[in-house]
Amino acid sequence: MEKLDVLTGKYGEEGDRLIFKILNSGNYLDDAQRKQFDFGQPQAAQRLLPMVSEKALRYDLTVPFARYVVMNHHLLAFPFKRYQIQPVWRADRPQAGRYREFYQCDVDVVGSDSLLNEFDLVQIAEAGFSGLGIHGVTLRINNRKLLQGIANWFGAGDRFVEFITILDKLDKIGEEGVFKEWAEKEFTVDPGKYERFKRLNGKSALEKVDYLRALLNSDGGNHDAEAGLNELGFLFSLMNNLDFTSVTPELDVFLARGLSYYTGCIFEAGVEDFGGSILGGGRYDNLTGVFGQPGLSGVGISFGADRIYDILQKRGLARQAAASELKIMLLNFGGVGQDTALRVLLGLRKAGFSAEIYPDGHVKPGKQFQYAEKVGFTHAVVIGDLEVAEQACNVKDLAERRETRIPIAGVIQHFSEIRNRA
Amino acid sequence: MEKLDVLTGKYGEEGDRLIFKILNSGNYLDDAQRKQFDFGQPQAAQRLLPMVSEKALRYDLTVPFARYVVMNHHLLAFPFKRYQIQPVWRADRPQAGRYREFYQCDVDVVGSDSLLNEFDLVQIAEAGFSGLGIHGVTLRINNRKLLQGIANWFGAGDRFVEFITILDKLDKIGEEGVFKEWAEKEFTVDPGKYERFKRLNGKSALEKVDYLRALLNSDGGNHDAEAGLNELGFLFSLMNNLDFTSVTPELDVFLARGLSYYTGCIFEAGVEDFGGSILGGGRYDNLTGVFGQPGLSGVGISFGADRIYDILQKRGLARQAAASELKIMLLNFGGVGQDTALRVLLGLRKAGFSAEIYPDGHVKPGKQFQYAEKVGFTHAVVIGDLEVAEQACNVKDLAERRETRIPIAGVIQHFSEIRNRA
């Protein structure tokens, strides 16, 4: 929850609309009634808003983070690094991969403009995805300065956001569409230049940097392009030192997300079998300026936890992660057996095993076994009055449906051996 | 976020007031304007509410959990066990230990009325607090049936909630106050009976159970008392098998929290040096009835994460938990040294160390050291151009302010030895 005025105006007009507002508590109409608010006037809802709502739900984690940094500036050591995993809310129409309430996992460094921070964030992306077993992630990287430099070269530097936004649609509307939209917005683009520009397709990141360095300076010095290419060249050279197992970094000169606020590197990651980005981020040179603290540069990435979870589910990785552990259920038949089973349970837990006893002794064994399988226990231990009399019990491997008879006193030892073998 | 009508009416009148309501998106006055709502009428805010708000913020985790269980009843295996750590919101006046937005950590079992579930929850409380290093936690346990039985014995069984609520104030208003309030509410309490009742003070839990079993049945059979004492006797006997290091369970026959919904055992935990409860819970025989699914018994506890964090802070335990780890910072002087430092950094990370490089090579060494200390790094490694030339570097233990000169190729080995010694 944030004060509404902390969020308003930070995400554009569309964003303002999508912020969930919280109704003031108590008699929330008090203020409006005292001011004799006229509910019949045009745009009444919009004008009434500041009188009935002062708080709102986080729209992302970046703006609240900037607010936090400014409020606690005197307490923090810069460069300040933090991660934050929390829900955010958007009053959007829900659809596949787009939720009204979802979790973002943000990692940011603020107060340092070194590109080593960008390098760290790439490592965190790789560590995050490989840790979850998600392979085949394409991490597209670009730089706003390069985009400006490209627009400069095409003679569109003064309206570069508009120009690039159209270029960014290449995938969706094709070359013809891009040229049509450029023409509609009165951009005159030399087709020959465009052809030469296109020749960077298929090159590696460092080849692209070299090719663009020559190309974009061909009409004279292009300071923006040079700055962007220097940053990208340095970052991609560093990345040659890393072993990527999950992430493949790519220089995508068309990537233009968040042009309204990013000032340097831009990141976006996705996988082929799932639409929509699963990570986004970039550098913003003046993160905290809007809250009265200029001069602090920040760079960050945000993992989309819900979409990542969707991928885990879709690929069957969520189950796999849990399946490697032993999960032991003791059956329960009440009576003396229950006392013994409880003693074994406590012993197993003390030895670090995940173990539970079926709570209700009156339920039939068949139903207890069914429960164990449905919940995903790996083993069931059967201790009833008879087993206590014989001081021996059956341990059932639920995956392999194999039963072993062992002394009750040896149950912990038995599972320790299984654990050690794994 | 929940639908407002899921939450309304579940927490009493006070609760309804304290629920944060979310304003509908778009033109939220549309509906009211169409219905020509009269904003001047009495209680306009209350009547307008259903037209401008359909969603609300979670007030606790229990009601949303009950809603979830009913919606997913066909998919779940019962007894269904879940934990849930999420923020909840209350439109209360903020004060020490009382927040508007705070995290609850709930553990519940639904679909089993076995007391082994209560026993499991006690173990979870102990594991949770001892895991955090919080000792001296008193876990007060009572049973609603016993409270009913006590009220029966005092001849107040028909208005037992009122009767017990006054008895529960004993700590605050003393015996005289309790008798005065009882008289005001027209409860006639035999002072002799009260004296006999009081004699359970100072007894152990199982002694209390025995004493009360004799006392409360002294005027004839007291079914409620018997049922409550059986449950408490069984639970406290089981707990004798546990080694408690953080939690001390106590039978507190005055504990009456949540009388309006708990039907069996009641739990509440606190520590002496911090006001307010840090865990609460109990059994509710009909958790899901209000959502149309009767007959499912539930029992659960809820840890108050923010208050527990406050205790960690107050007792200096938050720092302690983090201090045992190695945290290595490499200083950065740009140039050739930076390339070597980066190689060492990647090696350290690969070997599982928490290691960072100071990102900005132009910052003076003194400031970099200051930063390392302020952030809580345990060691600093100095690799500049000179060190690269000599292939040796200084490692500084920041706590003991001791420097060691080692070969650059031996840095990882050096920290591995420190880690193995710890």
Side-chain angles (χ1 to χ4, degrees):
Chain A
M1 198 182 279
E2 291 283 341
K3 286 193 174 160
L4 179 54
D5 58 14
V6 165
L7 305 185
T8 306
K10 310 302 188 300
Y11 306 103
E13 232 173 88
E14 164 91 347
D16 280 353
R17 266 201 321 106
L18 298 185
I19 294 170
F20 274 115
K21 287 97 183 168
I22 295 164
L23 208 53
N24 291 343
S25 348
N27 182 5
Y28 59 93
L29 285 180
D30 239 10
D31 194 24
Q33 283 165 335
R34 206 171 37 241
K35 289 180 182 156
Q36 301 195 296
F37 183 82
D38 173 10
F39 292 90
Q41 68 179 303
Q43 302 212 286
Q46 210 172 314
R47 290 181 204 198
L48 181 64
L49 187 63
M51 295 181 223
V52 298
S53 171
E54 286 160 10
K55 290 180 283 293
L57 293 175
R58 279 184 301 269
Y59 181 85
D60 73 358
L61 302 180
T62 306
V63 169
F65 172 60
R67 193 260 311 144
Y68 170 86
V69 168
V70 172
M71 282 178 74
N72 297 281
H73 188 250
H74 54 297
L75 297 170
L76 303 175
F78 291 94
F80 177 60
K81 303 179 173 189
R82 80 91 178 71
Y83 70 85
Q84 182 175 359
I85 303 178
Q86 275 190 313
V88 302
W89 292 265
R90 297 186 186 173
D92 222 342
R93 194 174 295 276
Q95 45 184 294
R98 194 176 291 275
Y99 305 98
R100 280 191 169 156
E101 177 173 356
F102 58 100
Y103 276 75
Q104 289 191 334
C105 314
D106 275 30
V107 187
D108 289 86
V109 185
V110 59
S112 159
D113 40 32
S114 165
L115 286 162
L116 294 181
N117 298 304
E118 275 83 344
F119 180 52
D120 264 355
L121 294 175
V122 170
Q123 289 175 69
I124 288 168
E126 161 67 21
F129 290 120
S130 64
L132 291 167
I134 297 179
H135 299 296
V137 177
T138 303
L139 176 63
R140 298 189 295 147
I141 303 178
N142 199 8
N143 192 296
R144 185 202 171 112
K145 293 166 194 164
L146 175 59
L147 284 168
Q148 172 76 58
I150 291 170
N152 292 348
W153 186 69
F154 277 113
D158 50 340
R159 289 192 292 142
F160 111 92
V161 173
E162 245 179 301
F163 180 83
I164 293 293
T165 305
I166 296 171
L167 182 56
D168 188 37
K169 294 186 192 169
L170 189 62
D171 275 356
K172 285 185 202 145
I173 60 176
E175 263 175 42
E176 211 171 314
V178 166
F179 269 89
K180 196 169 150 240
E181 288 204 16
W182 271 336
E184 276 164 17
K185 299 277 176 175
E186 295 176 4
F187 290 110
T188 326
V189 177
D190 176 349
K193 274 192 152 181
Y194 181 77
E195 282 306 309
R196 282 160 68 202
F197 178 71
K198 249 180 47 181
R199 264 176 240 153
L200 57 85
N201 284 337
K203 295 191 195 314
S204 75
L206 289 174
E207 286 166 357
K208 280 180 186 169
V209 168
D210 288 341
Y211 180 77
L212 286 171
R213 203 187 300 275
L215 185 74
L216 300 177
N217 286 307
S218 59
D219 299 347
N222 187 334
H223 175 75
D224 296 309
E226 197 57 28
L229 290 167
N230 282 344
E231 295 190 3
L232 288 166
F234 181 67
L235 184 57
F236 274 93
S237 303
L238 283 179
M239 288 194 291
N240 279 340
N241 297 308
L242 299 177
D243 305 321
F244 290 101
T245 63
S246 282
V247 164
T248 308
E250 258 177 28
L251 170 50
D252 178 357
V253 300
F254 297 107
L255 177 65
R257 69 173 277 138
L259 269 189
S260 57
Y261 45 99
Y262 292 131
T263 53
C265 283
I266 308 172
F267 300 106
E268 185 168 276
V271 290
E272 276 217 350
D273 54 333
F274 193 88
S277 76
I278 56 176
L279 175 149
R283 158 129 0 227
Y284 23 83
D285 270 346
N286 193 4
L287 171 64
T288 53
V290 71
F291 296 118
Q293 184 93 48
L296 278 178
S297 181
V299 60
I301 53 173
S302 178
F303 293 87
D306 302 77
R307 289 183 182 176
I308 291 170
Y309 182 74
D310 288 342
I311 293 172
L312 289 174
Q313 290 282 33
K314 196 179 169 190
R315 294 192 180 175
L317 294 166
R319 268 266 170 233
Q320 201 174 304
S324 59
E325 281 170 34
L326 284 181
K327 274 191 79 180
I328 305 158
M329 192 186 92
L330 292 100
L331 272 71
N332 185 355
F333 309 102
V336 189
Q338 178 176 294
D339 295 342
T340 305
L342 274 173
R343 242 193 3 261
V344 173
L345 173 76
L346 296 178
L348 283 167
R349 285 183 178 170
K350 218 170 202 170
F353 291 102
S354 168
E356 291 179 33
I357 187 167
Y358 192 87
D360 301 282
H362 56 83
V363 172
K364 294 208 176 109
K367 236 189 125 186
Q368 296 191 31
F369 273 118
Q370 259 173 38
Y371 173 77
E373 290 187 0
K374 193 163 174 189
V375 169
F377 284 92
T378 59
H379 293 80
V381 180
V382 184
I383 301 178
D385 292 1
L386 184 72
E387 282 76 11
V388 173
E390 299 184 2
Q391 283 299 306
C393 66
N394 280 6
V395 172
K396 187 166 179 179
D397 181 324
L398 292 170
E400 306 190 5
R401 304 188 154 274
R402 201 181 47 214
E403 273 189 274
T404 324
R405 186 105 181 147
I406 56 168
I408 289 178
V411 170
I412 293 166
Q413 177 67 21
H414 178 78
F415 284 109
S416 298
E417 280 162 18
I418 295 179
R419 182 166 59 184
N420 292 341
R421 275 203 301 273
Chain B
M1 198 183 279
E2 292 281 342
K3 286 194 174 161
L4 180 54
D5 58 13
V6 165
L7 304 185
T8 306
K10 310 301 189 299
Y11 307 103
E13 231 172 88
E14 164 91 349
D16 280 352
R17 265 201 322 106
L18 298 184
I19 293 169
F20 274 116
K21 286 97 184 168
I22 295 165
L23 209 53
N24 292 342
S25 345
N27 181 6
Y28 59 92
L29 286 181
D30 238 10
D31 193 25
Q33 283 165 334
R34 206 171 36 240
K35 289 179 182 155
Q36 300 196 299
F37 183 81
D38 172 10
F39 293 89
Q41 68 179 307
Q43 302 211 286
Q46 211 173 311
R47 290 182 203 196
L48 181 64
L49 186 62
M51 295 181 222
V52 298
S53 171
E54 285 160 12
K55 289 179 282 294
L57 293 175
R58 279 184 301 270
Y59 182 85
D60 72 358
L61 302 180
T62 306
V63 169
F65 172 59
R67 194 260 311 143
Y68 170 87
V69 168
V70 172
M71 283 178 73
N72 297 281
H73 189 251
H74 54 297
L75 297 170
L76 303 175
F78 291 95
F80 177 59
K81 304 178 174 189
R82 82 89 179 72
Y83 70 84
Q84 182 174 1
I85 302 178
Q86 276 190 312
V88 302
W89 293 266
R90 296 186 187 174
D92 223 341
R93 194 174 294 277
Q95 47 184 292
R98 194 177 291 274
Y99 304 98
R100 279 190 169 158
E101 177 172 357
F102 57 101
Y103 277 75
Q104 289 191 334
C105 315
D106 276 30
V107 187
D108 288 86
V109 185
V110 61
S112 158
D113 39 31
S114 165
L115 285 161
L116 294 182
N117 298 306
E118 274 84 342
F119 180 52
D120 263 355
L121 294 175
V122 170
Q123 289 175 70
I124 288 167
E126 160 68 20
F129 289 120
S130 65
L132 292 167
I134 298 179
H135 300 295
V137 177
T138 303
L139 176 63
R140 299 188 296 147
I141 303 177
N142 200 8
N143 192 297
R144 184 199 170 116
K145 293 167 194 166
L146 174 59
L147 285 167
Q148 173 74 58
I150 291 169
N152 292 348
W153 186 68
F154 276 114
D158 51 340
R159 288 193 292 140
F160 111 91
V161 173
E162 246 179 298
F163 180 83
I164 292 293
T165 305
I166 295 171
L167 182 57
D168 188 38
K169 295 186 192 167
L170 189 63
D171 274 357
K172 285 184 203 144
I173 59 175
E175 264 175 38
E176 212 171 312
V178 166
F179 270 88
K180 194 167 149 245
E181 288 204 16
W182 272 336
E184 278 165 18
K185 297 277 175 174
E186 295 178 2
F187 290 111
T188 326
V189 177
D190 177 348
K193 273 192 153 181
Y194 181 77
E195 281 308 310
R196 282 161 67 203
F197 178 72
K198 249 181 43 181
R199 263 177 240 153
L200 58 85
N201 285 338
K203 294 191 196 317
S204 76
L206 289 175
E207 286 167 357
K208 280 181 186 170
V209 169
D210 288 340
Y211 179 77
L212 286 171
R213 203 188 298 276
L215 185 73
L216 301 178
N217 285 308
S218 59
D219 298 348
N222 187 334
H223 174 74
D224 296 310
E226 197 57 27
L229 290 167
N230 282 345
E231 294 190 3
L232 288 165
F234 180 67
L235 184 57
F236 274 93
S237 302
L238 283 179
M239 287 194 290
N240 278 341
N241 297 309
L242 299 177
D243 305 321
F244 288 102
T245 63
S246 281
V247 164
T248 309
E250 257 177 30
L251 170 51
D252 179 355
V253 301
F254 298 107
L255 178 65
R257 68 174 278 138
L259 268 190
S260 58
Y261 44 99
Y262 292 131
T263 53
C265 282
I266 307 172
F267 299 106
E268 185 167 277
V271 290
E272 276 215 351
D273 54 333
F274 193 89
S277 75
I278 55 176
L279 176 149
R283 168 153 317 255
Y284 24 84
D285 270 346
N286 193 4
L287 170 65
T288 53
V290 71
F291 295 118
Q293 184 93 47
L296 279 178
S297 182
V299 60
I301 54 172
S302 177
F303 293 85
D306 302 78
R307 288 183 183 177
I308 290 170
Y309 182 74
D310 288 342
I311 293 173
L312 288 174
Q313 289 282 30
K314 196 179 169 189
R315 294 192 181 174
L317 294 166
R319 266 270 169 230
Q320 203 174 302
S324 60
E325 282 171 32
L326 284 180
K327 273 191 81 181
I328 305 158
M329 192 187 92
L330 290 100
L331 272 72
N332 185 353
F333 308 103
V336 189
Q338 177 176 295
D339 296 342
T340 305
L342 274 173
R343 245 196 357 263
V344 172
L345 173 76
L346 296 178
L348 283 167
R349 286 182 177 169
K350 217 169 199 170
F353 291 101
S354 168
E356 291 179 33
I357 186 166
Y358 192 87
D360 301 282
H362 57 83
V363 172
K364 294 212 177 104
K367 237 190 125 187
Q368 295 192 31
F369 273 117
Q370 259 174 38
Y371 173 77
E373 292 187 359
K374 193 163 176 190
V375 169
F377 284 92
T378 59
H379 293 80
V381 180
V382 183
I383 301 178
D385 292 359
L386 185 70
E387 282 77 10
V388 173
E390 298 185 0
Q391 282 299 308
C393 66
N394 279 5
V395 173
K396 188 165 180 180
D397 181 323
L398 293 170
E400 305 190 6
R401 303 188 154 275
R402 202 181 46 214
E403 274 189 272
T404 325
R405 185 105 182 147
I406 57 170
I408 289 178
V411 170
I412 293 166
Q413 178 67 20
H414 178 77
F415 284 110
S416 297
E417 280 164 17
I418 296 180
R419 181 166 61 184
N420 292 340
R421 275 203 302 272

